[in-house]
Amino acid sequence: MFKQFSDSTTNTIEVVLNGQAIQVTQGISVAAMILAQGLRFNRTTPVSNSKYAPFCMMGVCYDCLMVIDGKPNQRACSIRVKQGMKIDTQQGVGPALRTSVGG
Amino acid sequence: MKTDVLIIGAGLMGASTALHLAMRGCQCIVIDKASPGRHASGSNAGGLRQLNRDPAEIPLTVEAARMWQNIESLVDSDCDARFTGQLRVAENQSDMDKLEQRAALLRSMGYQHEEMIGKQALYQLVPALSPHCVGGLICRHDGYARPYHALTAFRRKAESLGVVFHPCTEAYHIEQTGEDWQLHTSKGDFSSNILVNCAGAWAGQLADLLNEPVPLTPKALMLMVTERLPHFVDPVMGAASRKLSFKQMQNGTLIIGGALVAKLDFELEKTQIDWLQLANSAKTVIDFFPQLSNVRIIRAWAGIEGFLPDAIPVISASQTAKNAYHAFGFSAHGFQLSPVVGRILSQLILDGQSELPIEPFNISRFAQKKS
Amino acid sequence: MDNHYQLLIIGAGPAGLAAATTASRLGVSCALLDEQPEPGGQIYRSIESVSGQRAQTLGSEYLRGKQLAKAFRDCDAAYFPETQVWSLNNQRQVGILHKEESKIITADQILVASGAMERPVPFPGWTLPGVMQAGAGQILFKSAGMIPDDGVVLAGSGPLLLLLAWQYMHAGVEIKAILDVTPLSNHLLALPKLPKALLAHQYLSKGLAYQKELRRAGVKTKIGVSSLQANGEEYLESVSYNHFSRQQTIETDVLLTHFGVIPHIWLTQSAGCHHIWDKHQQCWRPQHDEWGKTSIDGILVAGDGAGINGARSAEHAGRLAGLQAVYALRVITRQERDEQAVNDRKWMLDDRHIRPFLEAYFAIPDEILATPDNHTIICRCEEVTAGEIRNAVKNGHGDSNQVKFLTRCGMGPCQGRQCANAVAHIVADAGGAPVSDQSHFRGRPPVTPLTLAQLASLSEADTQ
Ligand SMILES: Cc1cc2nc3c(=O)[nH]c(=O)nc-3n(C[C@H](O)[C@H](O)[C@H](O)COP(=O)(O)OP(=O)(O)OC[C@H]3O[C@@H](n4cnc5c(N)ncnc54)[C@H](O)[C@@H]3O)c2cc1C
Ligand code: FES
């Protein structure tokens, strides 16, 4: 879908995308990164399980929600990639909440 | 326009009263200065709670609970009602003692619906709860419904029986000629044999017009709602000695409340969220459910409701005028009562009496205060 | 960060930057907040870090932002990037989130310069991955140096479409087509406004020059396109449309759409500022005077957040609002304010000549705004369709807020930003409340979602 324009800086960092360690351009948003990686969707919707991808890239639409460092519902277009960041596609409402041991 | 019964206020009380009257063949008009469910009835937390009610309300709430279980037969919709129980959690022994006392009171009155549970049962029911709690008081038949959907179902069923709703119609002058009522509104004149005041937080103004002032205080109660979450809790959660009230709806969102009062400009009907109170509420939620720390609040709002000093409503015939009736002052817990209140009013109007004990709700209890 | 400032400015686009620079040079204690990591706003996004070659491709207008950002960096205003404003009320209390901590700060004067967002216009298939707003394409280009690698279809109406096409062309992107949905009748309707517009001819000549260059490069522009539709099983595969009664389809995996921009009013709305429906700009905007004063004392607006007038105008409006704030703080006299405002006021006046023409020329036809077919999703978050909204209206839910209560449209994480406009139009078209000052969803704070932990971090001291 998208590729990086030839002038782009070549400084890279490592992130873990859906469990796989990859080298990505430094300084770009997580949403830009996944598009550059050829990932066609970042989440499935809680209502109909449809696939959604970034739409506005400016923090307005909330279509770009992903699980970032374990936290669901993060706006991928408004967060920049960081060394070691763990990024996962979000399924519906996101991973189950931890239940405490109780008893 | 002429009708048998004219109801002011298209909230749940007005709609339910109209429905019950229409079921018995009465002709009704409901007017509202805004739109149906614009205020408390559309913006409340949707809790169906018998748990911890004032003793005077118990016969009503128990009957209302029966009606909710069967709500579809009344309004052709289940109103998204779910009966997952309501729970008050104890964090220590003194909480437990307090809850025990409450359960004993109910037993002494001959009711069984509030039941003590120990630690093990508590965590079986709510495994997500922080481990420090020790037990609780539960009402298993309680639950929640979707308020605006319920209001809509009541309205639509009433309409199907001939009731007419007039939105954007504000009553500003009332006159009684003979036994009939003339009402001047922003959309013209209405007349009727019977007048019913279901005007929520504004009902005090109408009571004034009937010369029976009541100490009704409008307040704006805040709620906040989260994004959709994976299912993690069934019962509606409360606590014995802290301001906690929240539930997870069918769609996964959490509705968080608990008697949090916003700033209110009643004249302008403008409310302003008090973030500090919501922050405290957020802290309380996290104390009980630490795993909710990273859950996001999507919206907060405040709904305007009428409060009476003794926190129980007025459900009664007028003491000053013939053919006038009141139902207001539900003090933030009228949603659950709404089916039965409509029935009670229909009985008062058509039979002159109600089958349930409603003496504690008589408007005359405020009259003696007058010097 | 202090708990109180004389002037607090929200938004570091041209309006906010100009206001902050103006006010702080006059000695006012002033803070500028923005959620982006760098100053520049939408138009001059990444202006401080962008590479030389990319900047060239973006054009000379873009480079103008460099001077603005530099002047701002040289002044004394405090700057808090990556800071989210989540609430604003009529007491001028501002809820902010900075480094995961929430705080409520106050100011004597507040300037909301929160800019614009793209006008969301639903059409069949617009939720498919691969369909994006044109602004998203630009942001990818400006801040990540990314361009479509297998061609792109551009569709919609408005100057940005042309600008993006021009930028893409220079970056070597294959432009499969530009589908212009501007109705041909707009040209006629706009004609009477043209003579006045010629007074601000620089816009027109620039637009014409872009068009000429694109044509020369062989880019196909289809005018008078209707029935735009995105197709695909799970992802965008093709775009179809109607052109002079012929159904056409183009295969593509990227479709960028643009239907003009509208003010981002969530903050002013939550503060309770009076908003009006501007029928020429087809959007709600806060009511304000020429200095940016809103209906609430001490709350000012400037830039596209006040009404759509573009980047140059935003800069001037920002300076005017800055001067007004400084005057309201009694640091300068009314006369000093007026003297320093002469150039900016003149510029604004001249610029106003072009607007009626542009607005009439690029007006989005009502049938696009109000009548997407029943299956089209209107609320992207809660996936509510046009049909469900029409049904609600038919069943007596006569305004946007009642429709929202019933259907949950507008209740998702975007808080109605993507559907408020469309819902108001569909409700009106279906016989409900007309589109008016009141037909917007009622604002429900927070303006951006806040976690329970972030909210809980708010403490008593913060609100003193
Ligand atoms: C935030 C909040 C949470 C709540 N949570 C719960 C809960 O979980 N469980 C529970 O049981 N209860 C709850 N409640 C209480 C419950 O919502 C109310 O007790 C109930 O809805 C009251 O219904 P009503 O019809 O009396 O009032 P309303 O719904 O307020 O209706 C009154 C109507 O009268 C109209 N009106 C007023 N004056 C005039 C006039 N002069 N002319 C024409 N029209 C007029 C108003 O516009 C309004 O629509 C809550 C309330 C709030 C605010
Ligand atoms: S893409 Fe719209 S919010 Fe991120």
Side-chain angles (χ1 to χ4, degrees):
Chain A
M1 278 170 89
F2 284 91
K3 67 173 179 211
Q4 216 121 23
F5 190 55
S6 57
D7 79 320
S8 306
T9 42
T10 43
N11 288 348
T12 60
I13 54 170
E14 187 177 286
V15 301
V16 181
L17 177 59
N18 287 331
Q20 219 169 2
I22 50 170
Q23 295 294 317
V24 303
T25 308
Q26 193 180 1
I28 66 176
S29 68
V30 173
M33 183 276 289
I34 63 148
L35 292 172
Q37 291 297 318
L39 208 65
R40 295 214 60 182
F41 71 104
N42 54 274
R43 68 164 167 130
T44 59
T45 62
V47 179
S48 73
N49 209 26
S50 303
K51 296 187 163 87
Y52 268 19
F55 181 63
C56 73
M57 288 298 287
M58 56 182 279
V60 175
C61 74
Y62 291 73
D63 285 353
C64 63
L65 303 178
M66 297 191 82
V67 184
I68 298 182
D69 288 332
K71 287 190 207 168
N73 296 312
Q74 304 297 305
R75 274 182 295 175
C77 72
S78 309
I79 295 176
R80 292 208 265 190
V81 288
K82 276 203 197 77
Q83 174 68 32
M85 191 179 250
K86 233 179 124 280
I87 301 146
D88 294 289
T89 313
Q90 180 164 329
Q91 309 294 328
V93 292
L97 290 161
R98 187 170 43 80
T99 53
S100 28
V101 261
Chain B
M1 251 163 285
K2 173 106 182 98
T3 181
D4 296 344
V5 182
L6 186 76
I7 299 170
I8 303 177
L12 272 160
M13 302 307 164
S16 171
T17 304
L19 170 60
H20 282 97
L21 286 166
M23 281 171 20
R24 294 182 58 181
C26 227
Q27 199 193 21
C28 304
I29 285 179
V30 186
I31 65 164
D32 199 296
K33 64 189 181 61
S35 55
R38 164 69 182 89
H39 291 290
S41 297
S43 61
N44 69 62
L48 299 177
R49 176 178 61 82
Q50 304 169 72
L51 190 66
N52 207 33
R53 287 211 176 235
D54 189 290
E57 285 183 350
I58 292 178
L60 274 59
T61 194
V62 168
E63 181 55 21
R66 246 197 297 272
M67 294 173 85
W68 277 109
Q69 294 278 352
N70 236 329
I71 199 70
E72 193 151 3
S73 67
L74 183 64
V75 296
D76 301 341
S77 154
D78 71 357
C79 304
D80 276 347
R82 295 291 182 279
F83 303 96
T84 53
Q86 293 222 13
L87 184 60
R88 288 174 78 199
V89 173
E91 293 179 89
N92 48 45
Q93 193 51 46
S94 92
D95 279 0
M96 280 302 263
D97 296 346
K98 187 164 149 188
L99 297 179
E100 282 285 4
Q101 268 174 27
R102 167 75 191 179
L105 170 74
L106 277 240
R107 281 194 300 273
S108 75
M109 293 173 68
Y111 293 103
Q112 308 293 334
H113 57 273
E114 298 187 16
E115 179 193 330
M116 285 303 291
I117 54 171
K119 188 159 183 169
Q120 205 182 346
L122 175 66
Y123 284 94
Q124 244 159 33
L125 218 63
V126 194
L129 190 63
S130 152
H132 75 279
C133 303
V134 294
L137 186 65
I138 187 167
C139 180
R140 297 189 193 268
H141 301 300
D142 280 353
Y144 58 87
R146 278 167 83 186
Y148 188 73
H149 287 69
L151 182 272
T152 297
F154 274 87
R155 170 176 68 80
R156 305 255 308 153
K157 183 65 190 261
E159 283 172 341
S160 76
L161 298 175
V163 175
V164 181
F165 285 77
H166 292 267
C168 306
T169 306
E170 179 166 4
Y172 39 70
H173 189 68
I174 303 174
E175 257 173 285
Q176 196 168 27
T177 38
E179 300 207 332
D180 280 359
W181 292 98
Q182 316 295 332
L183 201 70
H184 305 293
T185 79
S186 52
K187 292 267 175 78
D189 292 350
F190 292 80
S191 66
S192 67
N193 308 118
I194 311 276
L195 184 72
V196 185
N197 171 14
C198 292
W202 294 263
Q205 299 168 354
L206 293 172
D208 282 349
L209 292 177
L210 299 179
N211 291 316
E212 43 190 342
V214 282
L216 184 77
T217 314
K219 286 188 201 166
L221 286 188
M222 296 185 286
L223 292 173
M224 45 186 174
V225 59
T226 68
E227 60 207 352
R228 292 175 188 251
L229 304 175
H231 171 85
F232 83 105
V233 62
D234 288 315
V236 178
M237 302 297 300
S241 53
R242 284 212 267 169
K243 275 192 178 180
L244 174 78
S245 164
F246 84 76
K247 59 183 76 71
Q248 183 168 30
M249 304 298 279
Q250 287 299 101
N251 60 31
T253 59
L254 281 188
I255 296 187
I256 303 170
L260 311 162
V261 181
K263 287 165 210 148
L264 169 66
D265 182 334
F266 191 53
E267 280 294 292
L268 296 177
E269 292 182 17
K270 288 230 157 109
T271 60
Q272 196 175 95
I273 298 297
D274 179 347
W275 292 108
L276 218 52
Q277 275 194 58
L278 291 188
N280 281 330
S281 171
K283 272 179 217 143
T284 310
V285 170
I286 295 173
D287 285 348
F288 285 95
F289 295 95
Q291 64 276 59
L292 294 179
S293 295
N294 289 322
V295 162
R296 297 176 317 161
I297 304 295
I298 303 277
R299 281 189 303 286
W301 69 89
I304 306 175
E305 160 81 320
F307 287 76
L308 286 166
D310 48 10
I312 58 171
V314 163
I315 308 171
S316 97
S318 162
Q319 299 299 297
T320 54
K322 236 180 140 194
N323 294 342
Y325 298 84
H326 301 283
F328 62 80
F330 289 86
S331 311
H333 44 262
F335 179 61
Q336 194 264 357
L337 296 176
S338 56
V340 80
V341 171
R343 197 169 82 197
I344 291 170
L345 275 187
S346 72
Q347 291 167 348
L348 276 182
I349 291 167
L350 299 176
D351 311 330
Q353 60 183 46
S354 153
E355 66 198 357
L356 288 165
I358 55 166
E359 211 26 55
F361 312 114
N362 202 300
I363 192 165
S364 64
R365 72 186 191 272
F366 299 111
Q368 56 228 29
K369 301 233 173 74
K370 260 201 299 190
S371 50
Chain C
M1 186 179 304
D2 297 342
N3 287 334
H4 181 83
Y5 291 92
Q6 282 183 294
L7 171 61
L8 188 76
I9 301 172
I10 303 163
L17 289 174
T21 311
T22 305
S24 108
R25 279 187 187 154
L26 290 166
V28 161
S29 93
C30 160
L32 176 63
L33 315 178
D34 195 298
E35 58 180 349
Q36 287 191 48
E38 283 177 58
Q42 297 305 343
I43 179 114
Y44 306 129
R45 187 179 274 266
S46 308
I47 191 74
E48 291 181 333
S49 60
V50 76
S51 80
Q53 191 196 344
R54 203 188 304 162
Q56 289 305 321
T57 318
L58 288 165
S60 60
E61 275 295 300
Y62 176 67
L63 288 172
R64 191 180 166 77
K66 279 223 187 277
Q67 299 153 33
L68 262 179
K70 169 126 194 348
F72 168 69
R73 291 287 190 182
D74 290 343
C75 81
D76 288 333
Y79 173 49
F80 301 98
E82 295 184 279
T83 303
Q84 229 143 51
V85 176
W86 48 266
S87 99
L88 171 66
N89 67 20
N90 62 9
Q91 306 299 302
R92 296 190 302 280
Q93 293 173 319
V94 186
I96 61 165
L97 182 70
H98 183 64
K99 301 202 164 101
E100 281 301 291
E101 284 221 355
S102 57
K103 213 173 153 155
I104 289 180
I105 63 176
T106 56
D108 301 320
Q109 296 281 313
I110 290 174
L111 170 62
V112 180
S114 51
M117 54 179 263
E118 292 220 33
R119 172 184 288 117
V121 172
F123 59 89
W126 75 314
T127 54
L128 285 172
V131 182
M132 298 170 93
Q133 293 177 321
Q138 260 206 331
I139 290 167
L140 277 169
F141 193 13
K142 287 178 192 168
S143 59
M146 282 168 59
I147 50 178
D149 66 352
D150 198 14
V152 62
V153 174
L154 298 169
S157 172
L160 180 70
L161 211 55
L162 215 55
L163 174 65
L164 182 62
W166 183 86
Q167 290 169 337
Y168 271 168
M169 182 187 73
H170 281 266
V173 177
E174 181 203 349
I175 298 168
K176 296 183 177 178
I178 301 176
L179 307 177
D180 191 338
V181 303
T182 317
L184 298 173
S185 55
N186 277 19
H187 301 202
L188 285 175
L189 293 173
L191 216 53
K193 303 181 165 107
L194 186 61
K196 234 180 162 191
L198 290 173
L199 295 172
H201 58 89
Q202 71 274 18
Y203 286 95
L204 300 180
S205 45
K206 202 161 52 191
L208 289 174
Y210 286 158
Q211 258 171 5
K212 213 150 93 199
E213 244 190 279
L214 285 163
R215 211 175 311 126
R216 213 176 300 131
V219 174
K220 288 194 227 67
T221 303
K222 308 265 165 117
I223 56 169
V225 161
S226 62
S227 309
L228 184 67
Q229 179 165 339
N231 314 304
E233 192 63 34
E234 291 191 294
Y235 312 108
L236 177 69
E237 291 162 18
S238 68
V239 177
S240 51
Y241 59 96
N242 195 298
H243 191 228
F244 294 111
S245 309
R246 286 221 324 273
Q247 191 69 15
Q248 314 247 12
T249 301
I250 309 174
E251 279 182 24
T252 184
D253 66 354
V254 181
L255 166 66
L256 298 177
T257 62
H258 178 68
F259 300 92
V261 295
I262 57 175
H264 201 238
I265 58 170
W266 265 249
L267 272 173
T268 44
Q269 206 203 12
S270 106
C273 298
H274 182 62
H275 287 69
I276 55 174
W277 172 256
D278 182 330
K279 66 176 197 295
H280 302 295
Q281 296 198 343
Q282 300 174 293
C283 61
W284 289 278
R285 60 175 178 79
Q287 188 183 29
H288 61 85
D289 70 5
E290 67 164 326
W291 300 97
K293 288 195 286 177
T294 66
S295 63
I296 295 178
D297 194 34
I299 297 186
L300 304 155
V301 287
D304 276 356
I308 303 303
N309 289 300
R312 286 297 291 278
S313 171
E315 208 179 306
H316 294 282
R319 258 195 299 275
L320 291 177
L323 288 169
Q324 165 60 29
V326 179
Y327 160 61
L329 290 163
R330 300 181 188 288
V331 175
I332 56 173
T333 65
R334 192 190 181 96
Q335 198 187 342
E336 285 168 323
R337 176 196 73 176
D338 293 353
E339 278 165 14
Q340 299 195 34
V342 170
N343 281 339
D344 296 303
R345 287 169 92 179
K346 176 166 184 323
W347 199 97
M348 297 282 285
L349 218 59
D350 291 348
D351 190 59
R352 217 163 283 153
H353 294 314
I354 182 82
R355 292 294 150 190
F357 173 77
L358 290 180
E359 285 159 11
Y361 191 88
F362 291 115
I364 306 291
D366 270 355
E367 62 264 25
I368 295 190
L369 292 177
T371 54
D373 74 74
N374 274 343
H375 299 293
T376 305
I377 287 174
I378 303 302
C379 168
R380 301 172 67 92
C381 298
E382 294 292 322
E383 297 177 68
V384 180
T385 63
E388 289 170 76
I389 292 167
R390 292 194 180 109
N391 242 334
V393 176
K394 210 172 74 198
N395 289 330
H397 306 275
D399 65 40
S400 298
N401 286 297
Q402 293 174 64
V403 168
K404 169 178 166 180
F405 275 18
L406 189 77
T407 65
R408 289 188 57 80
C409 71
M411 286 195 180
C414 94
Q415 294 157 308
R417 284 166 172 79
Q418 294 293 317
C419 67
N421 206 311
V423 171
H425 278 91
I426 294 169
V427 166
D429 184 65
V435 179
S436 72
D437 298 1
Q438 277 89 38
S439 61
H440 198 274
F441 293 138
R442 275 188 292 279
R444 302 281 208 198
V447 171
T448 55
L450 202 61
T451 67
L452 284 170
Q454 289 162 347
L455 177 57
S457 74
L458 199 64
S459 67
E460 199 87 43
D462 294 333
T463 53
Q464 295 301 293

